[in-house]
Amino acid sequence: ETQSRDTGPMLVALLALFSTASSAALAPKPPTRRGVLAAAGSVAAGVKAASAASEPQSNSKPWVADARIGADEQYTGSLPYDPWAHSSLFGLVPPPVAGTWSHQELVDAARGGGVASVQIAPQHDVVIAVSTSGRRYATPMLDDDFPTLLLETTRPDGSYPFAVLPMDESRAALRSAAGTALQASLLLWLADLAGLLPWDTTPYASLEQREKAQRERAEGARPPRKSLGQLLSRLLAARGSTKQAREPMSDELRRAFGMASELGARAKATAERLEPAAAAEVRAQAVELRERAAKLRFRAKLAARRLQREYEPAWVTPLTAGGELPRLEQLLRPFRVWTDGEWAQYIQLSPLAGTVRRRFRDEMGVWRLSAPFSRFYGQPVYILRRCIA
């Protein structure tokens, strides 16, 4: 039978070649290149079909980690070894979990001598049982129920049918550290959403936007609120408005609202009595009065700025500072270099090492970069002008 299987493909190939040669000999025209190629293709297809028919069929399948395997099943995959009982990385990585056993299945397998060792998993409340073939099976079980399992599988002589291994403390510590790191990351994420972190984590679209935000924050501007902070603010505002709406209105407020409604009714009645031309004239006068008020406000601001410039003293330089100038190490804190009893001026180094800004704000006021003192000390020095009277 084996000899007939081996000679079958050869006979098919010889018959195909013989038929091709005879057809070519009987043809009135010489064989073309296309005809030779077609004949060779038919011969190759016939040989392949004959070989496939002669080979025994195999039901082997590649190993897939998701396809769990039972304790009584045999591995029939394409790997030369059983992957469910094969460790990796020189034995540091144990084999994958082959399947799940119930409590009773584990007890039955242990009493039948099919369990080599049991061990509490690092994640707790799970027992890992290693069979005699080297496969690992997981059994959901509380850590407090593990002594009960040992009592159920104890032999009459007091021994166990398997080895009881202690829990791997190093893996348990590694898992605990990973859980702590995850919780800390979650807390930091929530604190960032609430805007409680001291550093800026806003994803800016460009470096220019980031520098602009840093300058505004140095001048005292509040950073933009994050999503969680906005949500809390809205909830608190809604709660406060609801509480105010539920509170009863006092007598003073009732009288005030009554007077306002009465005045509004009178104004409405007066406007209805006025003729359209008179109403248009009143509106024009109101517009003119608003324009005059805006001009007066602008002039008042200019006058206030002019008075402020005349009233504030000039900026101090190393030549106009009163007394001996401080040493460089004394400028780590604000140092007063000039005063007239009403105003005082202080100088200090940048509070952030390696960072040069045009100005920044702290509890004393707004500091600005002083070019004369910076040239004198060879480092960025900031100056502050403050009223002390």
Side-chain angles (χ1 to χ4, degrees):
E1 184 180 357
T2 304
Q3 185 177 3
S4 63
R5 288 181 180 178
D6 296 338
T7 57
M10 297 178 62
L11 292 176
V12 172
L14 290 176
L15 290 174
L17 288 174
F18 179 75
S19 62
T20 303
S22 60
S23 62
L26 295 176
K29 295 182 180 180
T32 60
R33 181 179 179 183
R34 183 177 300 177
V36 172
L37 292 177
S42 62
V43 170
V47 171
K48 184 176 180 181
S51 301
S54 61
E55 290 181 357
Q57 298 293 328
S58 175
N59 57 352
S60 62
K61 57 183 179 180
W63 174 67
V64 182
D66 292 338
R68 303 302 178 190
I69 190 169
D72 54 346
E73 297 181 19
Q74 298 295 329
Y75 176 71
T76 58
S78 58
L79 296 179
Y81 54 86
D82 186 0
W84 300 108
H86 183 74
S87 60
S88 305
L89 199 62
F90 304 101
L92 297 178
V93 180
V97 176
T100 304
W101 278 348
S102 64
H103 181 89
Q104 190 60 39
E105 289 176 346
L106 176 57
V107 172
D108 295 342
R111 291 174 178 174
V115 178
S117 64
V118 293
Q119 183 184 25
I120 298 178
Q123 63 267 28
H124 296 283
D125 297 334
V126 175
V127 174
I128 299 297
V130 180
S131 64
T132 54
S133 61
R135 296 175 182 172
R136 303 169 71 237
Y137 295 92
T139 301
M141 182 185 306
L142 297 177
D143 294 347
D144 298 337
D145 296 339
F146 188 69
T148 306
L149 172 67
L150 299 180
L151 291 176
E152 292 177 351
T153 55
T154 304
R155 293 171 178 170
D157 58 354
S159 62
Y160 300 125
F162 44 69
V164 181
L165 303 179
M167 184 176 62
D168 195 342
E169 298 294 339
S170 59
R171 296 179 186 273
L174 180 62
R175 185 178 184 278
S176 177
T180 304
L182 178 61
Q183 294 175 3
S185 302
L186 180 61
L187 290 177
L188 286 176
W189 178 67
L190 293 177
D192 178 46
L193 289 182
L196 302 178
L197 297 181
W199 55 81
D200 185 17
T201 57
T202 305
Y204 297 99
S206 63
L207 185 60
E208 182 180 358
Q209 293 184 3
R210 183 180 182 86
E211 293 177 351
K212 181 180 178 182
Q214 290 179 352
R215 290 194 300 267
E216 293 177 353
R217 193 174 293 106
E219 295 175 357
R222 296 182 62 182
R225 286 182 174 271
K226 299 297 180 68
S227 56
L228 186 58
Q230 294 178 358
L231 179 60
L232 292 177
S233 300
R234 291 176 181 176
L235 290 177
L236 292 176
R239 183 178 180 182
S241 61
T242 306
K243 184 177 180 181
Q244 292 179 0
R246 292 180 179 178
E247 291 179 354
M249 188 180 298
S250 61
D251 297 337
E252 292 79 3
L253 288 177
R254 288 195 184 94
R255 287 195 296 269
F257 279 114
M259 293 175 59
S261 59
E262 184 179 356
L263 290 176
R266 292 181 181 178
K268 184 177 180 180
T270 305
E272 290 176 355
R273 287 196 303 267
L274 291 176
E275 297 180 359
E281 184 179 356
V282 170
R283 285 194 294 269
Q285 292 178 358
V287 171
E288 185 179 358
L289 288 175
R290 283 197 296 268
E291 293 178 353
R292 290 182 180 180
K295 291 180 180 179
L296 290 176
R297 284 196 299 269
F298 179 72
R299 292 177 182 177
K301 289 182 180 179
L302 290 179
R305 292 178 182 176
R306 191 179 301 110
L307 289 175
Q308 184 178 5
R309 295 194 193 98
E310 294 177 357
Y311 181 70
E312 290 181 350
W315 291 104
V316 176
T317 64
L319 299 177
T320 59
E324 185 178 356
L325 292 176
R327 297 186 301 274
L328 187 61
E329 58 270 14
Q330 293 178 324
L331 296 183
L332 296 176
R333 296 181 178 181
F335 190 91
R336 188 171 67 180
V337 294
W338 179 88
T339 182
D340 61 352
E342 295 183 359
W343 291 82
Q345 297 191 26
Y346 302 83
I347 60 173
Q348 71 166 347
L349 295 176
S350 175
L352 300 177
T355 303
V356 180
R357 300 176 180 177
R358 296 182 58 185
R359 60 182 62 192
F360 66 90
R361 181 185 294 272
D362 60 2
E363 64 276 2
M364 295 184 63
V366 179
W367 296 77
R368 54 174 292 179
L369 186 63
S370 175
F373 280 104
S374 299
R375 288 194 298 267
F376 181 79
Y377 285 101
Q379 293 190 18
V381 179
Y382 294 83
I383 188 170
L384 169 70
R385 185 168 52 192
R386 185 179 182 183
C387 181
I388 60 176

